[in-house]
Amino acid sequence: MGVLSTKSIALLSALAACSVTNGRSLPRADDLDVFVQKQRALSLQNVLNNIGPDGSRVAGAKAGVIVASPSTENPNYFYTWSRDAALTMKMIIDEFLLGEEQLESYIEDYVHSQAMLQTVTNPSGTFLPNGAGIGEPKYNVDLTRFNGAWGRPQRDGPALRAIALIAYSNWLISNDQEDKAKTVVWPVIQNDLSYVGQYWNSTGFDLWEEVQGSSFFATQNQFRALAEGSALAESIGVQCTGCDQAPQVACFLNEAYWNGEYFIANINSNTGRNGRDANTVIGAISVFDVNASCDDASIQPCNSRGLSNFKAFVDAFRNSTLYPINEGISQAEGIALGRYTEDVYFDGNPWYLITASAAEYLYDAVAQWKTQGSLTIDETSLAFFQDIYPTARTKTYTPKDKCSEFPSILAAVTKYAESFVAVPT
Ligand code: NOJ
């Protein structure tokens, strides 16, 4: 598993159900619905196959351990990463909240396994007295330390784990199980939030495990963890150590990475890169809240700077020397994307998970505008909209206006999303 959820995996495989429009294959809505219905269960089962102790593909993994991949060579990913595991568990919790009740035992196993993992002394440090060991990115599947050389620490994992467990805790509270939330889950969340509060301003390795510095993706998730942790602590009547840092993290997130056009993915480091990186697009997906405002400090998909950043990131790959597969495709259409243009890992090719995440980002933004019933285009986001809706202007569009363009603009963004789904893989 990479960093994306089954939602994305389902999307990208939608090519199985396509019709041809403008020379490129666009999925038909009805076919896509049938496909998603079928693929959803398959994807979920395949995720469960990678979780111990009973996962069919991961013999030897302890209960609640989510293995990155059964692959043991080229690459050997038969380990558990805190980031991958937390993102996968967030998806499982979301599915549980949507009614997949049988998933609760996986969530409980995860809580117990992570409570143990947090205390394992490892090359990043120890649990006591300063919690530094919580920033270790990767462990053996039997919950023991991994001693090999690695890009460590990575500071997004604890934040992502807290986000997943906060979602489960909120469900417990709404279902008369506040005591379980407070006594079983909160202690694990608190360890992670203490870590985030203490170390958010220290450098670490980014989500691709290559750059030591400050990573936009990590900061964005750290802010969400502290903000939501603070609300949870209040609702169960406990103190949250570390949550008081949330305003400072928000300030760092919004000001330190922005260069006037896009968010530089890694700062406080000398990468020699242009800074346009999928890091800044998938971060918005992982903090996505359909009810949040586009001005929310977490930088949601519909945020103006976020949209400008999206365009800058995608346009970096509209380069047929770098990616011949994208040659001749117009600005209004999706293209194959990679992690960042300077990538050389496995030859630095496009990666369908990233291409699919562009679609997911746009679908998320559309869902937010629909929820809000309005869409504001400003100077910062104008160029993004003009690529796909040439007559876009800086104003607030609502469905109530006479001859409203609101539905047409949403349709244009949706079509743009669909065109990323249709990119040949
Ligand atoms: C490499 C990816 O870049 C990273 O995000 C992931 O955590 C590991 N592989 C394990 O899947």
Side-chain angles (χ1 to χ4, degrees):
M1 287 295 299
V3 296
L4 299 172
S5 67
T6 48
K7 194 169 138 197
S8 307
I9 294 164
L11 270 178
L12 67 91
S13 303
L15 287 171
C18 288
S19 65
V20 175
T21 318
N22 287 341
R24 300 191 73 203
S25 299
L26 286 183
R28 281 209 323 257
D30 50 350
D31 289 346
L32 198 53
D33 285 347
V34 173
F35 169 78
V36 168
Q37 187 75 9
K38 203 168 158 197
Q39 185 60 36
R40 187 178 203 123
L42 278 174
S43 294
L44 183 58
Q45 187 54 51
N46 276 291
V47 170
L48 301 182
N49 292 346
N50 285 271
I51 304 179
D54 300 321
S56 61
R57 305 193 67 188
V58 291
K62 285 267 167 66
V65 170
I66 302 173
V67 181
S69 165
S71 169
T72 53
E73 54 184 321
N74 197 30
N76 180 0
Y77 277 0
F78 201 77
Y79 296 94
T80 185
W81 270 260
S82 297
R83 170 183 42 260
D84 299 33
L87 285 163
T88 305
M89 184 45 59
K90 176 66 167 59
M91 177 280 295
I92 289 176
I93 291 167
D94 287 345
E95 291 295 306
F96 169 71
L97 299 182
L98 288 170
E100 302 278 354
E101 288 173 17
Q102 80 285 5
L103 295 176
E104 192 163 21
S105 63
Y106 289 91
I107 303 171
E108 288 171 340
D109 282 352
Y110 176 73
V111 174
H112 295 141
S113 70
Q114 301 308 295
M116 287 188 270
L117 212 59
Q118 285 177 333
T119 66
V120 171
T121 295
N122 60 62
S124 291
T126 52
F127 179 57
L128 292 173
N130 61 8
I134 289 182
E136 175 69 3
K138 168 179 173 183
Y139 298 81
N140 295 320
V141 303
D142 62 358
L143 291 176
T144 59
R145 60 188 274 168
F146 166 71
N147 284 320
W150 210 254
R152 56 169 68 93
Q154 295 178 22
R155 305 193 194 276
D156 56 348
L160 292 163
R161 181 164 54 206
I163 290 168
L165 295 182
I166 289 168
Y168 179 51
S169 301
N170 287 333
W171 180 86
L172 289 172
I173 294 166
S174 312
N175 286 274
D176 299 326
Q177 297 181 64
E178 183 174 329
D179 195 49
K180 182 171 169 184
K182 197 167 171 171
T183 58
V184 180
V185 193
W186 172 257
V188 182
I189 298 172
Q190 173 63 90
N191 288 337
D192 284 335
L193 296 178
S194 290
Y195 179 86
V196 173
Q198 194 173 348
Y199 295 106
W200 67 268
N201 207 11
S202 304
T203 55
F205 277 80
D206 72 328
L207 75 170
W208 310 134
E209 313 186 288
E210 294 172 344
V211 177
Q212 179 153 33
S214 303
S215 158
F216 183 88
F217 177 85
T219 307
Q220 195 169 24
N221 283 292
Q222 286 162 345
F223 172 65
R224 177 180 182 179
L226 295 180
E228 291 188 349
S230 173
L232 173 63
E234 201 178 323
S235 76
I236 56 176
V238 295
Q239 287 289 322
C240 172
T241 306
C243 290
D244 61 345
Q245 294 294 302
Q248 284 88 315
V249 182
C251 191
F252 184 56
L253 176 67
N254 281 270
E255 301 312 327
Y257 295 91
W258 180 246
N259 72 356
E261 184 193 359
Y262 58 89
F263 296 110
I264 301 167
N266 301 289
I267 59 173
N268 296 325
S269 66
N270 277 322
T271 61
R273 302 180 186 171
N274 63 44
R276 300 192 273 189
D277 186 315
N279 171 331
T280 60
V281 169
I282 58 181
I285 297 173
S286 77
V287 300
F288 170 59
D289 172 359
V290 74
N291 295 310
S293 115
C294 299
D295 294 332
D296 192 87
S298 57
I299 311 181
Q300 294 289 316
C302 66
N303 180 277
S304 283
R305 286 182 174 183
L307 293 166
S308 175
N309 177 72
F310 180 93
K311 174 177 162 53
F313 168 66
V314 172
D315 284 353
F317 294 93
R318 295 188 188 281
N319 170 348
S320 57
T321 309
L322 180 71
Y323 280 5
I325 192 177
N326 290 338
E327 186 163 6
I329 299 173
S330 85
Q331 286 286 132
E333 282 183 274
I335 52 171
L337 301 171
R339 301 191 302 178
Y340 52 90
T341 52
E342 303 88 347
D343 197 2
V344 292
Y345 187 54
F346 280 84
D347 296 333
N349 289 306
W351 192 20
Y352 50 79
L353 291 178
I354 304 292
T355 307
S357 72
E360 185 168 348
Y361 183 101
L362 298 171
Y363 287 132
D364 286 350
V366 169
Q368 292 179 315
W369 291 313
K370 280 188 181 158
T371 304
Q372 292 157 13
S374 77
L375 181 162
T376 298
I377 298 180
D378 60 17
E379 287 296 341
T380 308
S381 58
L382 184 62
F384 164 84
F385 286 101
Q386 284 181 333
D387 276 348
I388 54 174
Y389 192 82
T391 56
R393 282 178 294 131
T394 54
K395 63 174 259 194
T396 295
Y397 293 85
T398 77
K400 293 183 202 96
D401 300 340
K402 211 169 157 203
C403 308
S404 172
E405 292 175 89
F406 179 80
S408 313
I409 299 176
L410 259 51
V413 181
T414 304
K415 191 172 166 215
Y416 191 32
E418 232 86 88
S419 70
F420 282 101
V421 178
V423 170
T425 52

